[in-house]
Amino acid sequence: MLLFRPAIVSALLCAVGVSAVLVDFQVAQPPPVPSGVKECTVQVLQRDFANSFGDAEVVQFTPPTDCGEPGSWSAITLNFTVTSNGTQFDRLGIFTFQNVEIWCSLRTSTPEPTFNGIIWTYVKDVTRFTPLFAKEGLFILQLDNLLETGLNGIYSTVLHATFYASSREHPPAVQANKIIPLSTLSNTTGNDASVPPGFSINVTVPENTVSIFAEIIPSGNGDEEFWYFSVADEFLSDFPDGTLGQGPFREVRLLVDGRVAGVAFPYPVIFTGGVQSIQAAGGKPITSYGALDLPTYFIDVTPFVPLLTDGKSHNFTIDVASAEADHTILSNWFVSGLLQVVTDSSSKRTTGKMTSYNAEPFAVSSNTGHVDSNGDIHITVSATRKISITSEILSGSGKLTSVAWTQDLTYVNQQDYLSNLSIQNLFQSSVGSSKSTHNGASTVVDSYSFPLTINLTNLNPSGSFFSSGFDHSYNRNLDPGLFLGSTIAERQTAFGFFNISSSGNTGNGTNNNTQNTFQRRVNAAFDNITLDEISGSLAKSSAPAIDNKKVTGQTFAPPRRPAGHFGF
Ligand SMILES: *[C@@H]1O[C@H](CO)[C@@H](O)[C@H](O)[C@H]1NC(C)=O
Ligand SMILES: *[C@@H]1O[C@H](CO)[C@@H](O)[C@H](O)[C@H]1NC(C)=O
Ligand SMILES: *[C@@H]1O[C@H](CO)[C@@H](O)[C@H](O)[C@H]1NC(C)=O
Ligand SMILES: *[C@@H]1O[C@H](CO)[C@@H](O)[C@H](O)[C@H]1NC(C)=O
Ligand SMILES: *[C@@H]1O[C@H](CO)[C@@H](O)[C@H](O)[C@H]1NC(C)=O
Ligand SMILES: *[C@@H]1O[C@H](CO)[C@@H](O)[C@H](O)[C@H]1NC(C)=O
Ligand SMILES: *[C@@H]1O[C@H](CO)[C@@H](O)[C@H](O)[C@H]1NC(C)=O
Ligand SMILES: *[C@@H]1O[C@H](CO)[C@@H](O)[C@H](O)[C@H]1NC(C)=O
Ligand SMILES: *[C@@H]1O[C@H](CO)[C@@H](O)[C@H](O)[C@H]1NC(C)=O
Ligand SMILES: *[C@@H]1O[C@H](CO)[C@@H](O)[C@H](O)[C@H]1NC(C)=O
Ligand SMILES: *[C@@H]1O[C@H](CO)[C@@H](O)[C@H](O)[C@H]1NC(C)=O
């Protein structure tokens, strides 16, 4: 039986108790916020999540009026602080405001608490959702928790929002004219949809729309949580019953009226109950990058504008495809998205035409592999994706804009199963570049490299005593178009031992993180932080100047947000 199955991994998590309240955190870049302006902090909600399956926290949120006209702020952040005093699994937190899933994903995987308590705080920049926060509306936090024998942890949560006034030095943040949800539009629970099958929604955009930037929030869960370790169907018969198939490749697609508009080869988010945390002695205290704040993906949908401004509804679809012949996946991924829509100063309809469209329905992929005479299994799955879409867009006020969206992504996943499956080695590389230009000006830019190595050896094949090594990086230069971009170079390495046993799981290990953006180096061993150094300035690397020319048909003041405080 393969190790990387949620039930087995989750069983490992309560192995080690600690003697003090543990501060658990993800190494992350703090949000850049202005200093020296008036701040208004308001509590959005407070809730103890005990038996909360199907019982989300739903509150009416009204923006503050003491930090300037609602919507005129220079920045907005959310601070989510959680304590728990018992034993509990990872739980997904889904934050929805005005029917849009916000805070990058705001799908927060809660760190597994220890017996003596845990506290963590995550501060997230939500400035790009200013059009939502400028009006009152429904705020929903879904955190499905379950209390049962052996699981007694109650998550006590408090969520605050901080609004930073604008000033001459810190002008109002750049914002879209409208945000359209690609979500279930539920008013009682988190607004993400479970796929497969794909999620579709009818969308009508304003007739004077001149650009559209989509953001997609995907999360692999259930049998898809360890998707990068799934076995290509062709080789499934060489593995024990219960091994999960559908292969390790996943492509998240956005379709407009059935045509691919853009895709993401997602970063393998490893939740706090995942493999690397086991190596830090029972799951604490550094979570994998992205677990508390799932990466999101940006697609410039502007080339479709001439087709969408006809005043009619259009079919937007988000789905997840594999490299298997039928492209199907297991259950399930949670997905949602949103469209940041920029309109023209004229109310006249935008016209134009799509001048070229080159996007295949699916990535070009291959599965190769072989079984040696001694039973060793080697499987390699690779995929490539090229997309190029161009349009000419004529705004009602008479401005002609040439728009191009291109993607060039490559992926390879190599799995080696040796010595009667007692050695399981994984290497995955996912590298790509997505880019749009509006009249030649670079607009959306996303260059990334997400390498992952997991090496696992069962040292006692009659039992379950493992040594494991782990090397996982998130290198990404992202400019989402209208908003502040970021450059992140994060690497996590871990090595350790763990013993799975009915009489109690044990383990030890080290877990190192480096993040070059602002140079925070954190090491942990045996539930203790052994090194925590912070140096460097966030402002230099993650607050590139915003180019006014990027925004078709409208002039925005560039945001200037100098380095602020660290968010944890
Ligand atoms: C956690 O705290 C809550 C509220 O104070 C309490 O009811 C519960 O029994 C505590 N659980 C544990 C495991 O200590
Ligand atoms: C959610 O609430 C909004 C605003 O009151 C309403 O327009 C919409 O119909 C509701 N959605 C559902 C699914 O009930
Ligand atoms: C979208 O609109 C089409 C007709 O234009 C309709 O058949 C379909 O049911 C609608 N889908 C949803 C999810 O509302
Ligand atoms: C929307 O597009 C998806 C993907 O092509 C398709 O499966 C679905 O049937 C379409 N829905 C409608 C209402 O046309
Ligand atoms: C291989 O592993 C299986 C399951 O753990 C075990 O039943 C079998 O005896 C092993 N074979 C060898 C040659 O060690
Ligand atoms: C780890 O796994 C990768 C991928 O299978 C392999 O190339 C590498 O040699 C392994 N390293 C060790 C130390 O086993
Ligand atoms: C973590 O860092 C420590 C000290 O810098 C080093 O000794 C150890 O080998 C590192 N562990 C891993 C898994 O990289
Ligand atoms: C693993 O746990 C089993 C059962 O408690 C125990 O017999 C064995 O000695 C342990 N192995 C190691 C290496 O700690
Ligand atoms: C970690 O566990 C391994 C395997 O049980 C053991 O050999 C090693 O001494 C342990 N390391 C520490 C520092 O306790
Ligand atoms: C962790 O740190 C505490 C406090 O410094 C210390 O008492 C404890 O021995 C350390 N635990 C380990 C496993 O090193
Ligand atoms: C976040 O909220 C917590 C709890 O209210 C508070 O203790 C902490 O200081 C806040 N952190 C920041 C950076 O605002």
Side-chain angles (χ1 to χ4, degrees), residues 1-4 229 275 278-279 416-426 453-470 494-500 506:
M1 178 63 78
L2 296 185
L3 180 76
F4 294 98
F229 230 124
V275 65
I278 295 162
Q279 291 142 359
D416 297 291
Y417 300 88
L418 316 174
S419 301
N420 194 25
L421 304 187
S422 67
I423 298 176
Q424 302 179 7
N425 290 339
L426 168 82
T453 301
I454 301 175
N455 290 57
L456 192 68
T457 302
N458 192 346
L459 298 165
N460 173 21
S462 63
S464 291
F465 175 58
F466 290 87
S467 77
S468 60
F470 172 93
F495 184 77
F497 295 92
F498 57 95
N499 191 17
I500 305 174
T506 54

Side-chain angles (χ1 to χ4, degrees), residues 430-493:
S430 183
V431 179
S433 171
S434 303
K435 185 173 164 49
S436 72
T437 56
H438 290 199
N439 276 344
S442 178
T443 305
V444 174
V445 177
D446 188 356
S447 320
Y448 66 87
S449 170
F450 302 147
L452 170 65
T453 301
I454 301 175
N455 290 57
L456 192 68
T457 302
N458 192 346
L459 298 165
N460 173 21
S462 63
S464 291
F465 175 58
F466 290 87
S467 77
S468 60
F470 172 93
D471 191 346
H472 193 199
S473 295
Y474 181 91
N475 301 308
R476 194 173 186 195
N477 178 16
L478 175 65
D479 192 339
L482 289 178
F483 313 105
L484 211 57
S486 60
T487 301
I488 294 170
E490 150 77 21
R491 180 174 183 188
Q492 186 172 47
T493 55

Side-chain angles (χ1 to χ4, degrees), residues 351-367:
T351 56
K353 64 171 189 295
M354 190 178 278
T355 47
S356 68
Y357 176 84
N358 296 293
E360 294 299 322
F362 297 99
V364 176
S365 60
S366 70
N367 295 347

Side-chain angles (χ1 to χ4, degrees), residues 99 185-187:
N99 295 119
L185 306 179
S186 166
N187 289 333

Side-chain angles (χ1 to χ4, degrees), residues 309-359:
T309 49
D310 57 2
K312 299 190 175 127
S313 85
H314 292 268
N315 180 12
F316 279 67
T317 303
I318 304 171
D319 69 8
V320 181
S322 71
E324 296 301 310
D326 60 2
H327 303 290
T328 59
I329 59 167
L330 300 173
S331 285
N332 69 316
W333 283 69
F334 290 126
V335 299
S336 79
L338 59 114
L339 304 176
Q340 299 265 7
V341 174
V342 179
T343 53
D344 192 38
S345 51
S346 153
S347 60
K348 273 174 64 186
R349 178 178 165 183
T350 303
T351 56
K353 64 171 189 295
M354 190 178 278
T355 47
S356 68
Y357 176 84
N358 296 293

Side-chain angles (χ1 to χ4, degrees), residues 198-202 253 255-259 314-319:
F199 167 73
S200 295
I201 181 171
N202 286 334
R253 307 188 308 161
L255 299 101
V256 177
D257 293 330
R259 286 205 286 179
H314 292 268
N315 180 12
F316 279 67
T317 303
I318 304 171
D319 69 8

Side-chain angles (χ1 to χ4, degrees), residues 286 490-495 510-514 521-524 530-531:
I286 304 172
E490 150 77 21
R491 180 174 183 188
Q492 186 172 47
T493 55
F495 184 77
T510 66
N511 183 328
N512 294 349
N513 285 258
T514 33
R521 216 151 78 81
V522 186
N523 296 345
T530 55
L531 172 74

